[in-house]
Structures are given as C-alpha cells and as structure tokens.
Amino acid sequence: GEDVEQSLFLSVREGDSSVINCTYTDSSSTYLYWYKQEPGAGLQLLTYIFSNMDMKQDQRLTVLLNKKDKHLSLRIADTQTGDSAIYFCAPGGFKTIFGAGTRLFVKA
Amino acid sequence: DTGVSQNPRHKITKRGQNVTFRCDPISEHNRLYWYRQTLGQGPEFLTYFQNEAQLEKSRLLSDRFSAERPKGSFSTLEIQRTEQGDSAMYLCASSLMGGAGNTEAFFGQGTRLTVV
C-alpha cells in the first residue's frame, strides 16, 4: 500500500533554514501537499506542488520534488519560533495519506 | 462560514457508550473525508464520501464505526460501544474534486474523544 516516510524530529536555531524531507511510494498523485499542525489543532495546508514541477517557491517556503526518487522536501527560510509545529508531507490523491510527521523545534 | 466545522470539539465518554460526531464541510465541496489521529502519529484515513455516496472505507473502520452523509452536505461519524482504544482526535476534511483532479483537502479542528 501507500507509504510516506519522514524524519521524526528536526531542531534548528531561529533565523536558520529548516529542511524537512519526505519519501513516498505512491507516485500517481497530481498534487503533493505540505500541512502544518500546531498542538491541539487541525491540519493547515501550507503549500503544494503540481506533480510536473520540480520546484515551487512561496514566500519563505520552497518545495522541491524529485519524482524519479519519489522525494519531496520543504525548506523554510529564516525559521521563526512560530514555525515550531509538526509538518506532514501528503502525496494527494483520492484519499490523502500522511506519514507520522516531522516535529520542528525552533530554538531562540 | 468559510471553513470545515466539527462538533463537538471535545467528548469524554464512558467505555461502552455510543458517540456521534458531526462535520460540516465547506459548502461547495463534494468530497468529505474522515481521519483518526492518535498521539504522535499522522492522520489515518477512515472513509470518504463523494456527495452522499460512501466510496471507500479503511480496514481501520470496524463494524462499530459508521459514517453517513445523507444529503451530501454534513456528515456524522458514530462509534458504538466505545473502547479505550478509540480515544483519538477525529478529523474531518473536505475537498472539491474537479476536472483537473485537484484534491486539496481542508481540515476542521477535529473532535478529541477520550474514552474512560
């Protein structure tokens, strides 16, 4: 079945860049998404990339897609303490499958 | 209202009781999804509807779980004879399935169920 894998934890200093990586098995998705979840809250759509693109930039966020390797990454520039959250990679499809998420800790 | 709404936000119930959650999707969205999220895990797909039709159910959805979307708008998720293992956050999402195949899903805040 479909599988999504992410590193569980990432710790960065405020102002540095964060890179969150994801690998997936189902390559049929038209879109691939990144969601953010803060404690006790639902999921917030951060950004997405169309499957025929290699890169998408959206303000501080850069998404890179390597379809051949089934690898998706999210770079957050100038990481702020407010970016501390869990980030989920989600290859879309008729049902979105999530990994366990990457917990980003931003140290002041 | 521009978002997905879930009620109640929190529910505490005794083991063996039945509970029902409600989800109101974004009004023009034809797809509605239910997910379950336990502590430290990502959301797990339970089931989804396209309009009023329930098109897929995960094997996670035991016989004690039933979901409905009778008029293709709001949906309910009922859990019968709750067990402590049912304690989790239940998330609802909706999306608009268009010709381009965009399935961007918008999530509600979730209903946190605690079975004691």
Side-chain angles (χ1 to χ4, degrees):
Chain A
E2 303 94 332
D3 193 24
V4 177
E5 291 193 1
Q6 299 177 235
S7 300
L8 286 183
F9 299 99
L10 176 65
S11 180
V12 300
R13 291 189 183 279
E14 191 174 23
D16 288 351
S17 293
S18 307
V19 179
I20 301 171
N21 294 302
C22 166
T23 57
Y24 57 94
T25 56
D26 179 7
S27 59
S28 64
S29 309
T30 303
Y31 293 86
L32 299 96
Y33 303 97
W34 282 100
Y35 285 87
K36 176 183 179 181
Q37 186 176 37
E38 296 180 356
L43 275 70
Q44 171 196 353
L45 179 67
L46 267 185
T47 188
Y48 63 91
I49 188 167
F50 191 49
S51 59
N52 69 354
M53 296 171 64
D54 298 323
M55 184 181 84
K56 178 182 177 183
Q57 185 136 9
D58 185 358
Q59 299 183 332
R60 291 191 298 123
L61 306 177
T62 303
V63 180
L64 295 178
L65 174 61
N66 182 330
K67 279 195 76 174
K68 175 176 170 291
D69 294 339
K70 298 182 184 177
H71 183 268
L72 185 70
S73 69
L74 174 70
R75 177 176 180 269
I76 306 173
D78 187 25
T79 313
Q80 303 297 307
T81 54
D83 294 326
S84 293
I86 304 174
Y87 291 81
F88 293 98
C89 154
F94 73 92
K95 61 181 183 186
T96 303
I97 302 297
F98 295 86
T102 298
R103 284 135 190 86
L104 175 64
F105 299 96
V106 182
K107 296 175 285 189
Chain B
D1 181 19
T2 57
V4 178
S5 176
Q6 291 188 247
N7 287 288
R9 292 291 309 277
H10 304 273
K11 178 71 178 177
I12 300 174
T13 191
K14 289 185 179 179
R15 190 176 50 188
Q17 298 293 305
N18 299 344
V19 294
T20 300
F21 310 139
R22 176 178 169 125
C23 172
D24 288 88
I26 293 172
S27 58
E28 64 270 23
H29 283 184
N30 52 6
R31 286 198 167 176
L32 186 148
Y33 311 81
W34 284 100
Y35 290 83
R36 179 175 69 188
Q37 186 178 24
T38 52
L39 199 62
Q41 299 298 315
E44 297 171 295
F45 171 80
L46 292 179
T47 188
Y48 89 99
F49 293 83
Q50 179 148 321
N51 300 314
E52 66 275 10
Q54 188 173 17
L55 296 187
E56 182 167 337
K57 292 194 291 186
S58 162
R59 58 183 168 77
L60 293 175
L61 211 67
S62 76
D63 291 345
R64 296 185 297 105
F65 287 69
S66 62
E68 294 183 344
R69 194 184 184 198
K71 297 180 181 178
S73 57
F74 73 91
S75 174
T76 57
L77 177 68
E78 181 184 17
I79 309 174
Q80 296 182 325
R81 304 181 303 281
T82 52
E83 300 172 358
Q84 286 187 319
D86 297 331
S87 295
M89 175 81 90
Y90 290 84
L91 294 166
C92 175
S94 69
S95 70
L96 181 64
M97 183 60 185
N102 185 354
T103 58
E104 176 183 348
F106 292 86
F107 282 80
Q109 294 296 300
T111 294
R112 181 167 296 284
L113 173 67
T114 302
V115 181
V116 298

